[in-house]
Amino acid sequence: MSDSVNERGIFHDKEKAKSQQQAASSLLHFVLLGFSELPELQGFLSGVFTIIYLVVLIGNSLIITVTILDPALQRPMYIFLANFSSLEICYVSVTLPRILFDLWTQKRNISVLGCATQLCFFLMLGTTECFLLAVMSYDRYVAICHPLHYPLLMNPKKCAQLAAASWLGPVLVQIGQTCQIFSLHFCKSNQIAHFFCDIPPILKLACGDTSAQEVSAYVLTLLVGAVPFMLILASYCKIVSTILRLPTAQGRAKAFSTCSSHLLVVLLFFGSSTITYFRPKSSHSARTDTLLSLFYTVVTPMFNPFIYSLRNKDVIVALRKLFFKNTVP
């Protein structure tokens, strides 16, 4: 009798596990909760995010345009800046149009494939930003610490190689990580407590043990974030040491001014993303995660065109030429 009961219990457990697996495998979409807990602010948020998106598009497009058109900006520093501006447009376009769509339509469903695609591009472009910021710091290091060798070390071919490596390097790695995450079964819920598909909220929905995926994501994020940051830190230690040895205050001020914009962007991006991904789990909450993610995915890219244009005399001159060339006698 007991054997029969045990067999029925085992059979019931197997059937339950099978039904859960089928339910998980039949999951066709997620729901991005995003800002749904603020129903009275949907119109206001829609307007704010629309303005931010336009600022990002117009500001970065202007930097790209003047870099291409102005011969004075045909230098490695501005070639990398044009790449960075192109990256910012792509990076913001992964999340902001989706936010606007959800706010406008209140249809927050996103297919599993769409979610995986968004996550993959977000990871690839985020890693590219880390690499490109490191490349830009290396460019400043060579320009200030080895000015005589600068034309040789930063020739057009080398610039193209460094830019291409920054764009293409993360592709296979982040495709692999995305496939690893979406190979999991999702049976807890289909509601993502975020405004885009990011690793932590997606892993919360997976059934079974996700420790291997969590460790893998943590280690990979640490590598693609910490290694470029350490290279940037090393470059700026050398740069500061060299600048402080310059004989004149004017020379020191000029050298610092060429680095200040890039350094500010580095601090904004790495500071906000580090707090988001590496703070203790006990301090995680959906609202805090949303606010911090907004800062490095939306707010920082909005400020970048202003940081690079308002603090760079060459870019300001090029913009004046672009807008006032027909009015200047």
Side-chain angles (χ1 to χ4, degrees):
M1 180 73 176
S2 61
D3 290 342
S4 143
V5 171
N6 288 337
E7 286 177 1
R8 283 199 300 272
I10 293 170
F11 177 77
H12 177 71
D13 289 342
K14 286 182 177 179
E15 285 296 310
K16 184 178 180 181
K18 185 177 179 181
S19 64
Q20 286 179 341
Q21 187 171 351
Q22 288 174 343
S25 61
S26 63
L27 184 66
L28 298 177
H29 68 270
F30 292 108
V31 178
L32 292 168
L33 297 181
F35 305 97
S36 58
E37 76 279 8
L38 302 169
E40 70 282 1
L41 295 178
Q42 299 296 292
F44 172 76
L45 290 173
S46 176
V48 169
F49 286 129
T50 299
I51 293 171
I52 290 175
Y53 194 38
L54 289 174
V55 168
V56 171
L57 292 177
I58 295 170
N60 285 290
S61 295
L62 283 174
I63 291 177
I64 296 167
T65 302
V66 297
T67 303
I68 293 172
L69 297 180
D70 197 318
L73 300 185
Q74 299 297 314
R75 289 180 277 161
M77 174 181 176
Y78 297 106
I79 292 172
F80 292 134
L81 178 57
N83 273 269
F84 188 74
S85 294
S86 302
L87 172 65
E88 292 292 74
I89 291 174
C90 297
Y91 185 61
V92 171
S93 296
V94 171
T95 55
L96 256 181
R98 180 70 217 193
I99 295 173
L100 292 172
F101 175 81
D102 291 342
L103 290 171
W104 289 339
T105 66
Q106 296 299 308
K107 296 178 181 178
R108 303 179 183 277
N109 291 356
I110 183 171
S111 68
V112 174
L113 178 60
C115 189
T117 302
Q118 186 185 51
L119 176 63
C120 188
F121 276 99
F122 175 76
L123 294 175
M124 286 191 297
L125 294 171
T127 306
T128 297
E129 182 149 356
C130 294
F131 289 176
L132 202 51
L133 286 171
V135 167
M136 293 168 78
S137 70
Y138 173 72
D139 171 69
R140 292 299 83 208
Y141 160 74
V142 177
I144 293 172
C145 300
H146 303 284
L148 297 178
H149 297 99
Y150 186 76
L152 178 64
L153 294 174
M154 298 304 295
N155 58 66
K157 182 179 179 182
K158 186 68 171 290
C159 291
Q161 290 173 341
L162 289 171
S166 299
W167 282 95
L168 300 176
V171 172
L172 292 178
V173 174
Q174 298 299 2
I175 288 176
Q177 181 173 215
T178 303
C179 291
Q180 182 188 37
I181 291 168
F182 279 87
S183 65
L184 295 167
H185 294 294
F186 302 97
C187 57
K188 293 181 180 177
S189 171
N190 70 336
Q191 296 186 340
I192 298 176
H194 213 339
F195 60 85
F196 73 102
C197 295
D198 199 6
I199 294 175
I202 291 175
L203 288 179
K204 287 180 182 178
L205 305 183
C207 48
D209 184 18
T210 62
S211 57
Q213 285 78 12
E214 288 178 9
V215 171
S216 173
Y218 185 87
V219 170
L220 191 56
T221 303
L222 189 64
L223 286 174
V224 301
V227 172
F229 183 74
M230 294 305 293
L231 292 173
I232 293 169
L233 189 61
S235 296
Y236 274 102
C237 286
K238 291 283 189 180
I239 288 170
V240 171
S241 175
T242 301
I243 290 175
L244 292 177
R245 293 199 301 268
L246 293 176
T248 65
Q250 185 179 2
R252 289 193 293 271
K254 185 178 179 181
F256 271 122
S257 68
T258 64
C259 303
S260 58
S261 299
H262 176 259
L263 189 56
L264 183 56
V265 171
V266 167
L267 292 175
L268 286 172
F269 178 76
F270 280 99
S272 57
S273 56
T274 298
I275 294 171
T276 302
Y277 287 103
F278 296 112
R279 72 187 194 279
K281 270 190 173 183
S282 58
S283 64
H284 280 239
S285 71
R287 182 164 293 184
T288 304
D289 288 346
T290 298
L291 290 174
L292 288 171
S293 297
L294 269 177
F295 193 80
Y296 73 87
T297 59
V298 176
V299 177
T300 300
M302 179 186 67
F303 284 134
N304 287 347
F306 297 103
I307 292 170
Y308 276 113
S309 60
L310 296 179
R311 297 178 61 87
N312 190 300
K313 292 180 181 179
D314 292 337
V315 174
I316 292 173
V317 170
L319 286 170
R320 284 176 179 169
K321 287 182 186 177
L322 180 66
F323 287 111
F324 303 113
K325 63 181 180 181
N326 294 325
T327 61
V328 176

